[in-house]
Structure formats: structure tokens, C-alpha cells
Amino acid sequence: MKALALLGSTGSIGRNVLAVVRQFPERFKVVGLAAGRNVDLLAAQAREFAPECIAIGEPELAAALAAMLPARYQSRIVVGPEGNCQVASLASADMVVSAVVGSAGLLPALAAIRAGKDLGLANKETLVMAGRLVMEAVRAYGVHLLPIDSEHSAIFQALEAGRREDVSRIILTASGGPFRTWDDQALAAAAPNQALAHPNWNMGRKISIDSATLMNKGLEVIEARWLFDVAPEQIEVVVHPQSIVHSLVEYRDGAVLAQLGIPDMRIPIAYALAYPERLDLGLSRLNLTQCGNLAFEQPDHRRFSALRMAYAALAMGGVKPAVLNAANEVAVEAFLAGRIGFTRIAAVVAAALEAVGQGDELDLAAILAADREARIAAERAIGAA
Ligand code: MG
């Protein structure tokens, strides 16, 4: 029986993690749950899975959560970022799954590693912001880091077929998002509900917008760089609108290994939870003769400059990837709130990358300070429009 602490339990990935747990009650149990603000769903999950610790992100929502749970749960409720870290370092947990959205995932992920927990990571921002520090901690504490991002799970699986020193290239596939074929004029007028309508994957709001700008792929390039210890120039992005080939690894003899499947997050989630075993999830199977032609094309760096900016931030190094990430979070919020147009998202990120230096020290304090500065710079760019 593997005991799990789940961070971000009410989001799209979190709910899929619990669906897998529900399907295999003899294998997994939930000892900790943490969520941001969705008290109703968190309370329902707590009643179903009876964890020993429950964290709610917003302290003012703790009373509402308590009111929805039996009296014996009252002492198990913790709040805020510290509450998240408490759940991440629960003594009884064998594995922590981080499905937190955005930069809020960094500190609990580090807390989990430092508590000696294996980490199932869906929160790519953890590695975007602090990839070097996180991977050093993974090695220092001797824990396993298992990717849940579908592309990185695919790469992780393809890497099982060979030796790391024989890898020549990592090829990340991108669906291209809902605006893949849109022209400049249409992009400038794109509305949030159009950006949220992803063609293949059913995802949360933040990641859906990131998929529409291709920033999601940019963040995934940075994530792959740290996760698999490959040089940025070894990572290539290919647009593959059908989302059937989830990513590929090329070895030095020219052999290319890909992982394919229907686009369902329960597959990479279950792989991380049960690794190295594979579970029968009872999902519909990929039917190659019915999925039609699989297409692959170059990403358009001109219309979707976010991807290029991510490569540039990675090349600049230091705190620049953290700046990219923080500015993007602010810009995406502003777009969803109707404050800026779709094409302004990339412009706001570019302005923040320009405004915030790359720093000399790369420690946690410098990364968190850069995150704060980038948010201020992004707000300034939004206001100046
Ligand atoms: Mg992904």
C-alpha cells in the first residue's frame, strides 16, 4: 500500500490522481490533501479519502472547510503555504504528488524532497523556476522524481530503452493549441473562451492559455532540460496536432523511440504512481487505423514568440526562467480578466525579461526575489499599454 500526499487535489490533474487512487484502493491510500480555494470539492475529497492532514490555501476559508467536515477532522486542517509544506512532508506519506498550478508549487516540492519523499511532479513551474536547485536536492536526499507532465512521462518511458549517455535528442511534441492556424489579426482579437477551448486535452485555465500561446511548450523545454539533464540545443519541439505521439527520444545510432496513446492524463499519472509497474486502467485503446494521419510540423516562432522566449531565458540562465514564468502568470491572469489582448501576453513577458536582471547568486532567495520583481515589471507593462 503506497501512501500519497496530494497537492493541488481539486484541479484537473488532482482529480485525475484521485480517480486512479479510487480505481486501485488496494494499492494506494491518501494521507494528505492540499488545495487552493475550492473548499466544497476539498471537503468532499476529505470525506471520501479520510486523510490525516488537509491544507487549504486561503486561511480565511479554513472555517468554511471545517464547517463541512465532521468534528474529528478539525485538528487536521492546516492553512496557507506552510500548510501545503506540512502536507508535503507528512511522516506517513511514501510519495508526494504535486499538481499545484504555478509558482506556488516550488516550496512544497522542495519540502517534500527534503523530507525524503518520492515526488510525482505535474507542476512544471517547480523545475522552470529552480531546476538546478531542485535536481541537486533530489540527488542529495536520494529521492525519485517521476514526471507526470504527459510529454515528460513519454520521454521518461522512452529513456527506459537505452542509456542516458547514448541520447542525442529529446523531441517534445506540442498540439499547437486552438490557434495553430490563426493569422495575426485573428490572434490579436482572440477571446479567453476561445483560448480555453483546447482541441485535444481537457485542462485547467492557466495551462490552456499557456497551450494557446505555446508558452506551455516553452516551460516544458526548460522542465526537460533539468529533468533529463540534456543541453537546451538537444531539445526540439515539433507541432503534432493530433496529440497521439506524446514525445520522442532519439539515440545516437539514429533510433527514435516514441510513446503513443490516447490523450488521457490518467496514463502518465498511473505510470508515476505505480512505477515501474503498469496498471490496467480500463481505458479505451489507441486504434491506429482510426486515428487518421499523424502530422508533424515546425512551430511558428513568429506568431508564437513565447516558445522562442523560453529558449532565450534558458540560455540566459540565472533567474531568467523564473522571471519568464512569473511574468507569464501575471499576463495570463490579465488576459483571462480581459485586461489585455491575447498577443499582449508575450509582449508583457518580453518586457519583464528585459526589466529584471539575471542575478549573480542562484539560490532560493534570489529566485523568489526575481519572481516578485518580475510580477511588478509585468504589472507595469500591463498598465503602460
Ligand atoms: Mg504537457
Side-chain angles (χ1 to χ4, degrees):
M1 179 70 81
K2 194 177 271 186
L4 305 175
L6 172 59
L7 313 171
S9 67
T10 57
S12 171
I13 299 284
R15 283 180 274 126
N16 274 308
V17 171
L18 292 177
V20 173
V21 171
R22 198 177 280 124
Q23 205 177 344
F24 298 94
E26 73 293 352
R27 285 178 167 269
F28 308 114
K29 65 174 178 178
V30 176
V31 292
L33 287 174
R37 11 183 347 105
N38 189 343
V39 214
D40 294 332
L41 183 54
L42 180 58
Q45 292 174 340
R47 284 191 299 267
E48 179 180 355
F49 293 97
E52 57 188 74
C53 191
I54 310 154
I56 179 83
E58 309 279 330
E60 61 273 23
L61 294 174
L65 178 64
M68 282 182 246
L69 292 172
R72 66 178 184 282
Y73 284 89
Q74 308 305 309
S75 61
R76 306 183 195 180
I77 297 173
V78 293
V79 299
E82 301 76 23
N84 259 273
C85 291
Q86 269 174 270
V87 170
S89 45
L90 276 176
S92 58
D94 301 309
M95 181 179 192
V96 173
V97 177
S98 175
V100 174
V101 177
S103 57
L106 176 58
L107 294 180
L110 280 171
I113 295 165
R114 288 171 180 159
K117 310 298 179 187
D118 287 339
L119 181 61
L121 192 65
N123 174 263
K124 63 196 72 175
E125 291 84 351
T126 294
L127 289 172
V128 171
M129 294 174 74
R132 188 183 298 277
L133 298 185
V134 170
M135 296 312 290
E136 278 170 6
V138 164
R139 283 187 287 274
Y141 288 87
V143 301
H144 297 284
L145 181 51
L146 297 145
I148 291 181
D149 207 345
S150 61
E151 295 80 357
H152 302 73
S153 176
I155 294 161
F156 185 72
Q157 294 177 53
L159 285 173
E160 299 276 285
R163 303 187 310 171
R164 291 298 174 100
E165 58 267 40
D166 292 336
V167 170
S168 57
R169 236 174 4 142
I170 298 274
I171 303 162
L172 284 169
T173 54
S175 70
F179 302 152
R180 184 172 57 89
T181 58
W182 289 29
D183 64 18
D184 291 347
Q185 206 181 347
L187 280 180
N193 64 318
Q194 295 171 305
L196 289 171
H198 195 277
N200 306 336
W201 294 94
N202 187 3
M203 306 182 291
R205 287 161 65 84
K206 163 71 167 49
I207 190 171
S208 294
I209 303 303
D210 286 346
S211 292
T213 59
L214 288 201
M215 181 60 90
N216 182 54
K217 211 50 53 180
L219 300 177
E220 289 182 354
V221 167
I222 303 175
E223 181 185 13
R225 185 263 172 272
W226 296 114
L227 203 45
F228 306 116
D229 193 24
V230 284
E233 53 275 15
Q234 287 178 288
I235 308 170
E236 192 176 315
V237 172
V238 171
V239 172
H240 166 47
Q242 294 81 17
S243 298
I244 295 294
V245 178
H246 297 308
S247 278
L248 315 88
V249 173
E250 180 194 79
Y251 288 92
R252 66 166 141 205
D253 59 359
V256 178
L257 278 94
Q259 187 257 343
L260 288 71
I262 58 164
D264 190 308
M265 283 309 295
R266 284 173 292 177
I267 298 173
I269 288 168
Y271 190 70
L273 295 190
Y275 177 79
E277 269 185 79
R278 289 181 184 269
L279 306 178
D280 181 356
L281 295 161
L283 298 175
S284 62
R285 301 287 153 146
L286 175 63
N287 185 331
L288 283 171
T289 59
Q290 270 172 22
C291 66
N293 290 328
L294 300 183
F296 300 91
E297 57 194 53
Q298 292 278 2
D300 182 342
H301 290 281
R302 189 192 61 79
R303 278 182 308 139
F304 301 100
S305 60
L307 182 56
R308 196 181 56 216
M309 278 195 287
Y311 271 105
L314 186 54
M316 287 185 274
V319 298
K320 288 285 190 181
V323 171
L324 173 94
N325 177 65
N328 180 58
E329 287 185 13
V330 173
V332 168
E333 270 306 310
F335 169 66
L336 285 171
R339 295 172 63 207
I340 59 172
F342 181 77
T343 46
R344 291 272 305 144
I345 296 174
V348 168
V349 176
L353 274 177
E354 181 89 10
V356 184
Q358 88 194 65
D360 327 307
E361 285 294 317
L362 187 65
D363 56 15
L364 191 56
I367 289 166
L368 296 176
D371 177 278
R372 284 191 297 273
E373 274 185 68
R375 285 167 201 276
I376 294 167
E379 274 300 341
R380 199 176 300 129
I382 291 164

